[in-house]
């Protein structure tokens, strides 16, 4: 549950002795690869792993697994090594991985296979190169959206031809502000350290706040730590910026923000399918819908090779803004000339450029996606017919379900699975994502030999995956009465949410157990977290108290502010805290709580409403995350008077029960509902 990792060369000495290898990886990359390596060894014969095994077992590694087939990996290994039965140690594994990574990247080339990845490779590979064209585009975006910011305008506009972007990003303020542009209100700006000159502690706090907030809006940050910003690792900074900008540009591509999107479908069943699509897919569907109107015969399936010749763009802009069209755009033979005319057309429409004519011709997937998303934001060409909007009124609008879905989705994505999910209810139905998540939460628990990796054509294979998910859940003592794998395959929302809640809760309790009680072998239950939080607040002399995780008095936020202050006195600025008497004051406190918890290093996925409405599940995760952060701190670094009772009476009261379902109401009753 902790935030991004920091620096310190000592860590590398434990895992890797070769200095060259040390320089190829960040700390977080090394830690993740070590976990993969150990998992592969556990699955092997008698715990051994050979070069020959890697062709199949590396399918779960990003880039290498996604862009090379098992046969291609096997062929490469045969060509590169003489003795495929040689036992692997961790360092040899890393060297093989680096070679395969370079091979995979050379195969993919500039036209990435997955055009929707949006610089995914820059945050997950070790090829430390950046695109100057992308950097220039993102600098222009930041200058445009943050140029008037009170704090940043002393540094903006930046010059794209320099390293200004990476230098300014080093104190963390720019990235925090950019996250708030993408998803307004994510970070309470009162929590950002914005002095002119920040000390290392304050800078680190900003980076931690940034990384935990980025995770909370859906960015993948598994391979980025605070040290990477301090060291100015350009490919990682640019990779994170690109993800944040993508989230901003695609924010309107859903039916809540743009109900006119129902024009793309014919009936309510199709509407549900549309709602489950990732934003990039909706953008492609919209683009093809408009191209069909223009009489364009081809289907655009990506933002790279399918748009390189500019013909699709010419037809798209002609149908959206015919008043600005230039007849010669389609008649010119040179793709570069056509691309220039397309961008002139976009300028006349008032669309800011995210790419150059060269980027179109070269098929830059990230910049083409940004360009099309911006055109959609500016002029989508959809109508608002009452008949179509009425489709939306028939769809259930359960705010609580959608909030929980969002929290679980971002939590799952934060774990660094090979599959990024856009909709929990759709994307877990084949069982694979849940198996990956279970493997992250409890390494080695999944029997991969009987699992089927997507794409899965045979329906019974999905049921097999989900049956294993249910079986493992029972093994972990989840309450799964009358549930079968087919319930997940069918997309039963309540059952999926109940399973994910128990999985997330198990993860939190397991992390806490591993910190405090690894020598006692005792389990932690909800009551222990409750007692810890109350004792912490009492130790500070606080007046508030939490009776349970659904205690309505928690809605004003004062208890959590006192709790945070007890674990780190300097983190709460009490002059910014309200009395929490009105709804507005409660929301201000809740927003501040979430941001300062993330600033400390808590990885949490709740919204201010979860505090003000006292959503007991999210209240439990918040409390447990603060507890986990505190207990990870070296005893000598804890504030005076905050020694905690883990070595005293509290550890003696830990129950052997693995679940406390009455406290969390996470059990599933006989009738299959929570």
């Amino acid at each position: 549950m902790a935030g991004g990792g920091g620096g310190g060369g000592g860590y590398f000495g434990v895992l890797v002795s070769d200095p060259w290898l040390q320089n190829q990886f960040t700390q977080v990359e090394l830690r993740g690869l070590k976990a993969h390596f150990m998992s592969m060894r556990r699955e092997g014969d008698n715990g051994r792993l050979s070069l020959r095994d890697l062709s199949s077992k590396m399918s779960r590694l990003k880039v290498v697994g996604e862009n090379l087939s098992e046969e291609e990996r096997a062929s490469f290994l045969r060509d590169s090594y003489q003795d495929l039965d040689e036992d692997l140690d961790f360092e040899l594994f890393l060297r093989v991985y680096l070679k395969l990574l370079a091979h995979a990247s050379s195969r993919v080339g500039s036209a990435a296979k997955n055009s929707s990845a949006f610089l995914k490779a820059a945050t997950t590979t070790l090829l430390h190169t950046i695109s100057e064209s992308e950097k220039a585009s993102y600098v222009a975006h930041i200058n445009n959206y943050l140029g008037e910011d009170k704090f940043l305008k002393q540094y903006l506009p930046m010059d794209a031809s320099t390293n200004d972007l990476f230098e300014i990003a080093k104190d963390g303020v720019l990235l925090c502000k950019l996250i708030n542009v993408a998803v307004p209100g994510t970070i309470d700006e009162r929590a950002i350290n914005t002095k002119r000159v920040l000390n290392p502690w304050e800078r680190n706090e900003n980076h931690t706040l940034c990384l935990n907030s980025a995770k909370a809006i859906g960015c993948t940050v598994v391979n980025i730590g605070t040290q990477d910003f301090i060291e100015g690792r350009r490919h990682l900074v640019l990779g994170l910026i690109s993800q944040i900008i993508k989230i901003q540009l695609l924010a309107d591509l859903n039916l809540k923000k743009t109900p006119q999107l129902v024009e793309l479908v014919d009936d309510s069943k199709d509407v549900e399918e549309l709602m489950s699509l990732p934003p990039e897919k909706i953008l492609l569907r919209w683009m093809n819908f408009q191209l069909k109107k223009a009489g364009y015969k081809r289907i655009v399936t990506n933002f790279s090779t399918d748009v390189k010749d500019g013909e699709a763009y010419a037809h798209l802009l002609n149908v959206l803004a015919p008043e600005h069209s230039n007849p010669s755009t389609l008649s010119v033979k040179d793709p570069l000339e056509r691309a220039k005319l397309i961008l002139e057309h976009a300028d006349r429409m008032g669309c800011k450029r995210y790419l150059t004519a060269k980027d179109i011709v070269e098929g830059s997937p990230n910049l083409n996606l940004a360009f099309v998303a911006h055109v959609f934001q500016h002029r989508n060409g959809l109508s608002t017919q009452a008949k179509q909007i009425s489709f939306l009124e028939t769809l259930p609008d359960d705010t609580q379900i959608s909030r929980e879905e969002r929290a679980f989705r971002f939590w799952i994505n934060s774990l660094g699975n090979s599959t990024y999910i856009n909709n929990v209810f759709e994307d877990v139905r084949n069982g694979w994502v849940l198996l990956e998540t279970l493997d992250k939460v409890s390494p080695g628990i999944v029997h991969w030999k009987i699992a089927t990796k997507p794409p899965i054509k045979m329906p019974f294979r999905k049921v097999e995956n989900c049956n294993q998910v249910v079986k493992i859940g029972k093994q972990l003592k989840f309450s799964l009465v009358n549930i079968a794998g087919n319930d997940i395959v069918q997309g039963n929302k309540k059952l999926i949410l109940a399973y994910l809640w128990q999985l997330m809760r198990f993860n939190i309790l397991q992390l806490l157990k591993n910190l405090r009680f690894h020598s006692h072998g005792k389990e932690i239950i909800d009551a222990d977290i409750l007692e810890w939080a109350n004792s912490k607040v009492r130790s500070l002399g606080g007046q508030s108290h939490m009776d349970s995780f659904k205690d309505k008095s928690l809605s004003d936020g004062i208890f959590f502010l006192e709790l945070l202050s007890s674990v780190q006195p300097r983190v709460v600025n009490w002059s910014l805290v309200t009395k929490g008497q009105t709804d507005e004051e409660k929301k201000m406190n809740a927003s501040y709580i979430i941001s300062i918890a993330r600033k400390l290093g808590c990885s949490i996925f709740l919204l201010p409403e979860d505090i003000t409405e006292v959503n007991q599940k999210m209240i439990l995760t918040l409390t447990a995350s603060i507890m986990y952060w505190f207990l990870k701190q070296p005893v000598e670094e804890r504030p005076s008077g905050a020694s905690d009772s883990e070595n005293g009476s509290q550890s003696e009261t830990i129950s052997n029960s693995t679940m406390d379902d009455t406290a969390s109401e996470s059990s599933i009753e006989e009738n299959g509902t929570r």
Side-chain angles (χ1 to χ4, degrees):
M1 304 290 293
Y11 178 84
F12 291 120
V14 177
L15 290 179
V16 180
S17 58
D18 187 323
W20 182 82
L21 278 174
Q22 290 174 16
N23 291 329
Q24 304 307 306
F25 300 88
T26 65
Q27 281 190 28
V28 184
E29 285 168 343
L30 255 188
R31 201 175 304 135
L33 288 167
K34 180 73 170 182
H36 275 295
F37 175 72
M38 296 307 293
S39 177
M40 290 175 192
R41 278 184 57 172
R42 279 194 296 271
E43 293 169 15
D45 295 330
N46 299 319
R48 65 184 290 272
L49 185 68
S50 70
L51 280 164
R52 190 182 305 279
D53 298 328
L54 291 184
S55 56
S56 60
K57 294 188 181 297
M58 275 188 156
S59 61
R60 302 204 296 274
L61 289 174
K62 289 185 179 181
V63 183
V64 168
E66 291 169 357
N67 297 315
L68 293 175
S69 68
E70 185 174 336
E71 293 74 21
E72 287 170 330
R73 291 192 295 272
S75 173
F76 181 79
L77 289 169
R78 281 195 302 270
D79 294 342
S80 304
Y81 298 93
Q82 288 184 333
D83 182 9
L84 292 182
D85 293 314
E86 179 183 351
D87 275 6
L88 279 172
D89 61 13
F90 183 49
E91 292 199 2
L92 180 54
F93 167 78
L94 291 177
R95 292 178 187 281
V96 176
Y97 174 62
L98 283 168
K99 285 188 177 182
L100 278 165
L101 196 60
H103 181 56
S105 300
S106 67
R107 292 288 305 276
V108 174
S110 58
K113 285 188 180 180
N114 182 3
S115 65
S116 66
F118 210 82
L119 242 176
K120 181 179 178 184
T123 59
T124 56
T125 79
L126 308 171
L127 303 177
H128 298 167
T129 58
I130 66 168
S131 160
E132 289 297 328
S133 191
E134 288 188 18
K135 184 181 85 167
S137 179
Y138 304 149
V139 164
H141 179 97
I142 292 167
N143 286 340
N144 179 54
Y145 283 95
L146 289 170
E148 295 306 310
D149 180 87
K150 286 182 180 177
F151 177 79
L152 289 174
K153 63 183 180 183
Q154 60 187 313
Y155 305 108
L156 302 181
M158 293 178 286
D159 183 349
S161 65
T162 68
N163 282 326
D164 282 358
L165 174 62
F166 307 110
E167 290 302 314
I168 295 171
K170 280 185 177 180
D171 67 7
V173 178
L174 175 70
L175 293 174
C176 286
K177 299 266 189 180
L178 190 61
I179 286 170
N180 270 357
V181 169
V183 183
T186 299
I187 296 176
D188 189 319
E189 298 210 354
R190 295 174 294 175
I192 305 173
N193 299 320
T194 53
K195 290 192 310 192
R196 183 73 189 235
V197 179
L198 298 178
N199 63 40
W201 179 273
E202 292 164 331
R203 191 178 296 122
N204 192 67
E205 283 185 330
N206 280 351
H207 294 321
T208 305
L209 173 60
C210 164
L211 288 172
N212 284 315
S213 301
K215 277 195 281 188
I217 65 169
C219 294
T220 302
V221 299
V222 269
N223 285 345
I224 311 175
T226 56
Q227 190 69 17
D228 296 315
F229 293 107
I230 294 163
E231 293 172 3
R233 289 179 179 258
R234 301 190 307 160
H235 65 294
L236 293 173
V237 174
L238 202 66
L240 181 58
I241 288 172
S242 71
Q243 290 186 75
I244 297 168
I245 291 175
K246 172 199 171 183
I247 287 168
Q248 178 189 341
L249 291 174
L250 297 177
D252 291 343
L253 279 146
N254 61 72
L255 287 169
K256 284 185 180 175
K257 292 278 187 73
T258 313
Q260 300 95 316
L261 283 166
V262 293
E263 191 178 346
L264 306 184
V265 297
D266 296 323
D267 57 42
S268 55
K269 187 178 178 184
D270 290 337
V271 171
E272 290 198 45
E273 183 200 341
L274 188 69
M275 290 175 75
S276 72
L277 290 176
E280 300 96 317
K281 299 286 188 193
I282 296 177
L283 189 63
L284 279 170
R285 185 175 283 202
W286 165 79
M287 187 173 178
N288 284 309
F289 176 81
Q290 299 295 358
L291 289 173
K292 190 176 179 182
K293 282 190 203 171
Y296 187 66
K297 302 299 182 191
R298 282 157 46 198
I299 301 292
V300 176
T301 63
N302 59 59
F303 294 105
S304 181
T305 53
D306 287 2
V307 295
K308 286 170 75 168
D309 61 10
E311 289 186 16
Y313 281 156
H315 283 93
L316 177 67
L317 298 186
N318 282 347
V319 79
L320 292 176
E323 70 276 17
H324 297 305
S325 63
N326 181 339
S328 61
T329 303
L330 282 165
S331 60
V332 297
K333 301 298 182 193
D334 180 18
L336 190 64
E337 284 304 311
R338 182 181 296 129
K340 289 176 182 175
L341 293 172
I342 286 162
L343 293 178
E344 288 172 10
H345 189 162
D347 282 345
R348 290 192 292 272
M349 288 170 61
C351 289
K352 290 182 271 307
R353 292 186 184 184
Y354 278 89
L355 75 181
T356 64
K358 186 167 174 273
D359 297 323
I360 293 177
V361 173
E362 291 181 351
S364 169
N366 294 342
L367 297 183
N368 277 293
L369 173 61
F371 175 67
V372 178
H374 182 65
V375 170
F376 174 87
Q377 279 187 341
H378 191 75
R379 187 179 298 197
N380 62 40
L382 299 172
S383 62
T384 53
Q385 295 176 22
K387 173 181 167 237
Q388 290 162 338
I389 302 301
S390 68
F391 276 153
L392 299 179
E393 294 166 4
T394 66
L395 296 171
D397 181 27
D398 191 322
T399 306
Q400 186 62 41
I401 283 181
S402 65
R403 282 223 303 264
E404 288 191 16
E405 185 275 336
R406 173 191 178 278
F408 294 138
R409 172 165 34 101
F410 290 156
W411 171 64
I412 290 170
N413 285 333
S414 76
L415 298 174
N417 293 333
S418 67
T419 309
Y420 185 92
I421 63 171
N422 294 282
N423 181 299
V424 163
F425 303 124
E426 290 300 316
D427 294 348
V428 304
R429 287 171 61 179
N430 62 24
W432 184 263
V433 169
L434 291 174
L435 289 173
E436 281 198 304
T437 305
L438 284 161
D439 192 55
K440 284 287 196 302
V441 169
S442 184
I445 203 165
V446 176
H447 191 5
W448 290 109
K449 288 181 179 176
I450 61 169
T452 305
K453 184 177 182 181
I456 303 173
K457 293 178 182 176
M458 305 298 287
F460 75 92
R461 296 291 186 197
K462 297 178 184 178
V463 177
E464 284 179 344
N465 280 354
C466 292
N467 281 342
Q468 188 180 177
V469 167
V470 173
K471 183 181 177 183
I472 294 172
K474 290 177 179 176
Q475 189 180 329
L476 297 176
K477 307 286 197 299
F478 293 180
S479 179
L480 300 170
V481 181
N482 288 349
I483 293 187
N486 199 47
D487 294 311
I488 297 172
V489 177
Q490 296 299 320
N492 185 315
K493 291 184 178 181
K494 288 194 173 181
L495 297 186
I496 289 169
L497 288 178
Y499 187 97
L500 285 173
W501 161 239
Q502 293 184 82
L503 182 54
M504 184 190 231
R505 183 167 168 270
F506 172 82
N507 181 222
I508 297 167
L509 298 182
Q510 200 66 13
L511 288 167
L512 287 168
K513 175 188 171 186
N514 291 343
L515 274 182
R516 302 176 69 195
F517 303 108
H518 52 85
S519 60
H520 304 288
K522 294 183 178 179
E523 305 296 339
I524 287 188
I525 60 172
D526 299 0
D528 302 314
I529 299 170
L530 189 71
E531 169 55 27
W532 174 85
N534 281 321
S535 68
K536 274 281 141 297
V537 171
R538 279 197 307 272
S539 72
L540 186 72
Q543 302 302 306
S544 50
H545 178 84
M546 174 166 57
D547 290 330
S548 71
F549 296 114
K550 53 184 178 182
D551 184 341
K552 292 300 179 188
S553 70
L554 298 172
S555 66
D556 63 10
I558 302 300
F559 178 85
F560 288 109
L561 289 161
E562 290 187 341
L563 177 61
L564 286 160
S565 196
S566 74
V567 300
Q568 179 47 265
R570 62 182 293 280
V571 80
V572 178
N573 181 343
W574 285 98
S575 68
L576 302 175
V577 175
T578 75
K579 292 181 179 178
Q581 293 174 344
T582 67
D583 287 346
E584 183 57 33
E585 286 181 346
K586 288 179 179 179
K587 189 167 184 184
M588 287 178 70
N589 282 353
S591 171
Y592 189 48
I593 289 163
I594 291 169
S595 287
I596 57 178
R598 286 178 179 148
K599 181 178 176 177
L600 268 185
C602 299
S603 182
I604 48 178
F605 301 92
L606 71 166
L607 294 168
E609 293 84 350
D610 292 316
I611 296 176
T612 59
E613 296 171 15
V614 194
N615 175 339
Q616 70 184 97
K617 294 178 183 177
M618 295 301 135
I619 294 290
L620 170 58
T621 62
L622 172 62
T623 314
S625 298
I626 297 169
M627 181 178 179
Y628 179 69
W629 177 84
F630 174 76
L631 295 175
K632 278 201 320 172
Q633 306 311 304
V635 174
E636 63 273 13
E637 290 183 19
R638 294 178 187 172
S640 57
S643 61
D644 195 41
S645 56
E646 67 263 30
N647 297 318
S649 61
Q650 190 182 337
S651 65
E652 295 163 15
T653 67
I654 300 304
S655 162
N656 283 319
S657 165
T658 55
M659 299 294 289
D660 182 13
D661 292 321
T662 55
S664 66
E665 289 183 5
S666 65
S667 61
I668 302 170
E669 306 300 338
E670 295 286 339
N671 60 6
T673 58
R674 282 177 302 145

